[in-house]
Amino acid sequence: ITLRDIADEVDARHSEAFDPLGLEVDQTLDSMGRHKERSQGEEHRYNPVTIHLLQESTRRGDYSMFKQYTQMVNREESGYLRSMMDFCYPEKGIPIKEVESVDSIVRRFKTGAMSYGSISQEAHETLAIAMNRLHGRSNSGEGGESEERLESAQKCSAIKQVASGRFGVTSRYLVSADEIQIKMAQGAKPGEGGHLPAKKVYPWIAKTRHSTPGVSLISPPPHHDIYSIEDLAQLIYDLKSANQKARISVKLVSEAGVGTVAAGVAKAGAQVVLISGYDGGTGAAPRSSIHSAGLPWELGLAETHQTLIRNGLRNRVVVETDGKLMSGRDVAIAALLGAEEFGFATAPLVTLGCVMMRVCNLDTCPVGVATQNPELRKRFRGKPEYVVNFMRFIAQDLREHMARLGLRTVDEMVGRTDLLRRREGLKNRHADRVDLSAILNNPFVSQNEKVIFDPAAVYDFKLQETLDEKILLKKLRDAMDHGEKKRLKVKVGNTDRAFGTILGSELTRKFGVSLEPDTYLVECTGTGGQSFGAFIPKGLTLELTGDSNDYFGKGLSGGKLIVHPPKNAPYRPEANVIVGNVALYGATSGEAYINGKAGERFCVRNSGANAVVEGVGEHGCEYMTGGRVVILGPTGKNFAAGMSGGIAYVLDEKRNLYKNLNKEMISIGTVETKAEAETLRDMIEEHVKYTDSPKGREVLENFDRYLPNFKKIIPNDYKRMMRLSAKLEEKGMSPEQAQIEAFYESTRH
């Protein structure tokens, strides 16, 4: 066979791929419609007809049209456990006028955690306005909110998500919350973190998230930050200290064993446990996450409700669920399985105009819902009234089911699985084989026993016994009332958790960010407990003579932290660990000077604080997005992993730093410019001023000799954006203009 024969065969086969008109025939496989709606593909509850009916009914305020929509979504039988269930209606119900009112029911409703950044400012604010009108709750998501919205009773989201302390979690942000939610997992992507692509990190998004425009934001799985129920319990305590008026919520995902985790959360003091199902979301998650992870909320909710009852904890927490709740029937089944509050995410977005294009991550949303592009945002046509109508329609639909079931209040519904049965006449042969007995038959409660949340059983954190309440607030109250500076001395022990946090929250409520640095100085001696100085704001300085435990300076929000050993200590500070693991975790601003070494995960998720320390353990500066860190000593392995912003200066005397670096996102260099050398010197001078560090003093006295040994660690994307912005500023642009132009230039390629 010659080469000519092969070429002729290829030409012949190629010509068969054309129709008689000379057009190429598409030989690719047809889409089965698992991700996007296809006419010959799988059935979706959100399809062109249901989307049209939902949008038109809520825009017109037409409840009869909304009932057409619910009839369609309730008829679907495949893929949902709730579709396999039906109600055990009594022979005679009750008049609907005896059922709890719509106004009362909607107070139990929430919008899901969709962050500002993933959806547009217009969509995010509209959801907040609607839920505030209803006296329900909107959820900020982990992207935070602008300072202006925190001051607005109309636009401020009631639920502030912290996701283990990420992306702009400041004292002011926490103080503005009615409920603070710890995101341990995501419903649409269980076991995975989030990711905001660089082209969606516009300057206004970066400002809110304390990050850099045009640089991707990585949100790793929350279990990457919290390793035990004790860590979670500490965060719950910290957040309660940061805002005593807020409920603390923990978001879990429906997976096998979630009931056991929920029991631990209840013991740790959370007041709300959210069980999120796997089948929500508009399409920003990868397909592998949407189709191959997590479980239905029906399973996780039933397991959680039963496990909490079995452990005598059910009355301590409110149980919430979300994940594709689309009708009053869905809500009724959720309540009968044990839920007291209910979250809606995709449906409210659809009422605002979302057409399920599934391009949320591409910043090309054609209706201005899931985009930051100013031109596309102009197409947004949503109004708060549409979301209000949706929530009220859901509540009315639920009332109709309640009347038929003979139930007057939602509280009477909670956990009444005896009113559920297997649906008869299922056409799907797979659905017919599913055993629902473990969900429908609750072995831990009798029909006459009601086990729901009881406010009197709420966990007591005993905050009134803290040093903040007993000493700090009492001794500083007069000075705070008159705006005077004051300092005081306190002895601390390692059981004094979150020292300074309650005081910090009161300062934030009273002064915001207006205080001068060092307005209130607390000199401490002893051992700082977990989360010493967590979330403290500008104006508060804590100086510790001694050492401190894990989570030192968690979420530092403008305050100043100083720690050093006693002057007569018989050891070299730079050779000994003085603060524990995860110091300055999630810090957003402020300063920290540490005369000694820190443990592992130092400055993880730091997004704006400046810190000087004399050595760190493994995983230092992990996922850092901003701020400056000076390390006058060695680092452990995996330094700068996932680091996307900020700069670290490491004194590499043994020239082995390169072995410990995670080089995936960063570059290593020297301090090249005079300005940078001055910045470095200034930070070390402040360190010596506050801690009297022998190591720092030695470096300053021989600065020219030590300077070549400092290595500058900077993320590549961050470096590129800084250079672009600097060039544009040199051309006469303001810093804000330069940021915007640099963003567009960076994301254009």
Side-chain angles (χ1 to χ4, degrees), residues 379-398:
R379 302 183 184 182
F380 181 78
R381 295 291 181 268
K383 294 182 180 179
E385 290 78 9
Y386 304 161
V387 179
V388 168
N389 285 339
F390 169 77
M391 296 295 179
R392 296 183 67 85
F393 287 170
I394 289 287
Q396 180 59 28
D397 191 15
L398 174 62

Side-chain angles (χ1 to χ4, degrees), residues 50-121:
T50 57
I51 289 174
H52 171 75
L53 289 172
L54 177 56
Q55 291 181 342
E56 284 298 306
S57 63
T58 52
R59 287 171 186 174
R60 298 180 188 179
D62 188 340
Y63 184 65
S64 61
M65 181 180 287
F66 183 80
K67 292 295 287 184
Q68 296 177 42
Y69 152 80
T70 59
Q71 287 171 8
M72 289 194 67
V73 299
N74 291 339
R75 189 172 62 235
E76 204 276 330
E77 290 186 5
S78 62
Y80 302 95
L81 289 179
R82 55 193 174 278
S83 301
M84 305 173 198
M85 303 176 196
D86 214 340
F87 303 106
C88 298
Y89 292 115
E91 290 185 9
K92 188 177 181 181
I94 59 172
I96 196 166
K97 64 181 180 181
E98 296 181 18
V99 177
E100 184 176 354
S101 69
V102 166
D103 289 339
S104 175
I105 290 174
V106 293
R107 291 172 181 266
R108 297 174 180 267
F109 292 170
K110 303 174 178 180
T111 54
M114 298 171 288
S115 66
Y116 173 46
S118 66
I119 62 176
S120 66
Q121 176 183 338

Side-chain angles (χ1 to χ4, degrees), residues 272-567:
V272 183
V273 177
L274 165 59
I275 305 299
S276 189
Y278 76 126
D279 54 4
T282 55
R287 293 188 193 187
S288 58
S289 302
I290 295 173
H291 300 296
S292 307
L295 294 174
W297 56 254
E298 295 91 333
L299 287 173
L301 175 59
E303 180 185 332
T304 295
H305 182 66
Q306 293 178 21
T307 304
L308 290 173
I309 292 173
R310 189 178 186 184
N311 288 276
L313 297 166
R314 181 60 184 87
N315 64 344
R316 191 181 284 186
V317 294
V318 171
V319 176
E320 177 190 348
T321 198
D322 71 18
K324 218 163 194 175
L325 296 177
M326 297 179 66
S327 67
R329 181 182 187 276
D330 287 349
V331 175
I333 291 175
L336 295 174
L337 290 177
E340 293 156 292
E341 295 183 354
F342 315 91
F344 306 84
T346 308
L349 286 188
V350 172
T351 68
L352 294 179
C354 170
V355 289
M356 298 295 285
M357 284 291 290
R358 303 276 201 174
V359 292
C360 309
N361 59 311
L362 302 179
D363 198 38
T364 58
C365 177
V367 290
V369 171
T371 178
Q372 302 307 319
N373 187 310
E375 293 304 312
L376 293 175
R377 284 167 52 196
K378 292 176 183 177
R379 302 183 184 182
F380 181 78
R381 295 291 181 268
K383 294 182 180 179
E385 290 78 9
Y386 304 161
V387 179
V388 168
N389 285 339
F390 169 77
M391 296 295 179
R392 296 183 67 85
F393 287 170
I394 289 287
Q396 180 59 28
D397 191 15
L398 174 62
R399 292 179 75 237
E400 293 170 8
H401 288 288
M402 292 168 67
R404 291 185 64 190
L405 288 166
L407 301 170
R408 288 174 172 78
T409 67
V410 175
D411 279 346
E412 291 178 26
M413 298 183 75
V414 177
R416 288 291 304 276
T417 51
D418 57 295
L419 295 177
L420 288 173
R421 61 178 174 83
R422 185 181 185 82
R423 196 171 187 172
E424 296 177 356
L426 292 172
K427 298 176 183 178
N428 187 299
R429 61 186 180 89
H430 297 296
D432 198 44
R433 302 205 307 267
V434 176
D435 183 0
L436 298 177
S437 58
I439 299 176
L440 301 181
N441 303 325
N442 186 346
F444 306 114
V445 63
S446 66
Q447 184 173 335
N448 298 323
E449 182 184 4
K450 280 302 292 178
V451 184
I452 59 173
F453 173 67
D454 178 5
V458 163
Y459 181 85
D460 183 6
F461 289 91
K462 294 184 170 55
L463 297 182
Q464 70 279 5
E465 299 177 11
T466 62
L467 292 179
D468 283 61
E469 291 281 1
K470 291 195 299 184
I471 298 177
L472 300 186
L473 286 173
K474 287 183 179 180
K475 291 190 175 183
L476 292 173
R477 182 65 66 187
D478 286 344
M480 290 167 61
D481 289 342
H482 295 92
E484 299 171 348
K485 289 190 172 186
K486 188 165 183 178
R487 67 166 58 198
L488 56 92
K489 296 183 178 182
V490 180
K491 289 185 178 180
V492 296
N494 63 1
T495 56
D496 296 317
R497 300 189 294 161
F499 178 83
T501 303
I502 295 175
L503 170 61
S505 70
E506 291 300 313
L507 292 174
T508 298
R509 280 195 180 93
K510 193 172 183 66
F511 301 105
V513 294
S514 64
L515 288 176
E516 291 295 317
D518 305 319
T519 301
Y520 302 104
L521 172 60
V522 182
E523 299 177 37
C524 311
T525 55
T527 297
Q530 297 268 346
S531 302
F532 181 91
F535 303 110
I536 65 170
K538 183 183 176 186
L540 177 57
T541 298
L542 302 181
E543 180 177 347
L544 174 61
T545 301
D547 56 11
S548 187
N549 219 309
D550 294 348
Y551 288 114
F552 172 88
K554 175 188 291 184
L556 186 65
S557 297
K560 185 182 295 179
L561 291 170
I562 303 162
V563 58
H564 53 79
K567 289 186 177 180

Side-chain angles (χ1 to χ4, degrees), residues 39 65 186 202 210 230 247 296 301 309 357 370 393 421 495 519 534 544 547 570 575 637 643 645 647 663 716 740:
S39 58
M65 181 180 287
Q186 301 187 115
Y202 284 71
H210 293 248
E230 288 82 11
R247 300 196 304 178
L301 175 59
I309 292 173
M357 284 291 290
F393 287 170
R421 61 178 174 83
T495 56
T519 301
L544 174 61
D547 56 11
K637 295 177 182 176
M643 181 178 173
I647 300 174
K663 305 176 185 65
N716 297 320
I740 292 172

Side-chain angles (χ1 to χ4, degrees), residues 124-326:
H124 207 269
E125 290 184 359
T126 302
L127 291 172
I129 293 168
M131 298 312 292
N132 287 336
R133 287 182 185 175
L134 290 167
H135 302 288
R137 290 183 170 94
S138 63
N139 193 318
S140 69
E142 66 174 313
E145 289 180 11
S146 65
E147 294 287 333
E148 297 75 25
R149 283 183 62 187
L150 297 182
E151 301 296 326
S152 168
Q154 184 183 26
K155 296 180 180 180
C156 182
S157 294
I159 305 172
K160 296 297 194 294
Q161 197 178 66
V162 301
S164 312
R166 307 172 187 169
F167 296 144
V169 178
T170 65
S171 178
R172 198 175 182 191
Y173 175 76
L174 296 175
V175 162
S176 71
D178 293 331
E179 180 174 317
I180 301 172
Q181 184 177 86
I182 302 167
K183 185 179 78 169
M184 280 301 296
Q186 301 187 115
K189 293 177 277 187
E192 298 182 20
H195 177 220
L196 195 64
K199 58 184 159 185
K200 291 190 79 171
V201 187
Y202 284 71
W204 46 90
I205 301 299
K207 180 182 177 182
T208 302
R209 296 196 176 208
H210 293 248
S211 63
T212 308
V215 177
S216 294
L217 288 173
I218 304 166
S219 174
H223 59 244
H224 199 72
D225 308 327
I226 292 179
Y227 294 89
S228 66
I229 198 70
E230 288 82 11
D231 285 341
L232 181 55
Q234 181 61 47
L235 180 57
I236 291 169
Y237 183 89
D238 299 338
L239 295 173
K240 192 66 178 178
S241 299
N243 184 350
Q244 296 185 57
K245 299 176 183 179
R247 300 196 304 178
I248 308 301
S249 165
V250 177
K251 181 178 182 179
L252 305 173
V253 155
S254 179
E255 292 186 301
V258 69
T260 302
V261 181
V265 166
K267 290 179 181 178
Q271 196 170 328
V272 183
V273 177
L274 165 59
I275 305 299
S276 189
Y278 76 126
D279 54 4
T282 55
R287 293 188 193 187
S288 58
S289 302
I290 295 173
H291 300 296
S292 307
L295 294 174
W297 56 254
E298 295 91 333
L299 287 173
L301 175 59
E303 180 185 332
T304 295
H305 182 66
Q306 293 178 21
T307 304
L308 290 173
I309 292 173
R310 189 178 186 184
N311 288 276
L313 297 166
R314 181 60 184 87
N315 64 344
R316 191 181 284 186
V317 294
V318 171
V319 176
E320 177 190 348
T321 198
D322 71 18
K324 218 163 194 175
L325 296 177
M326 297 179 66

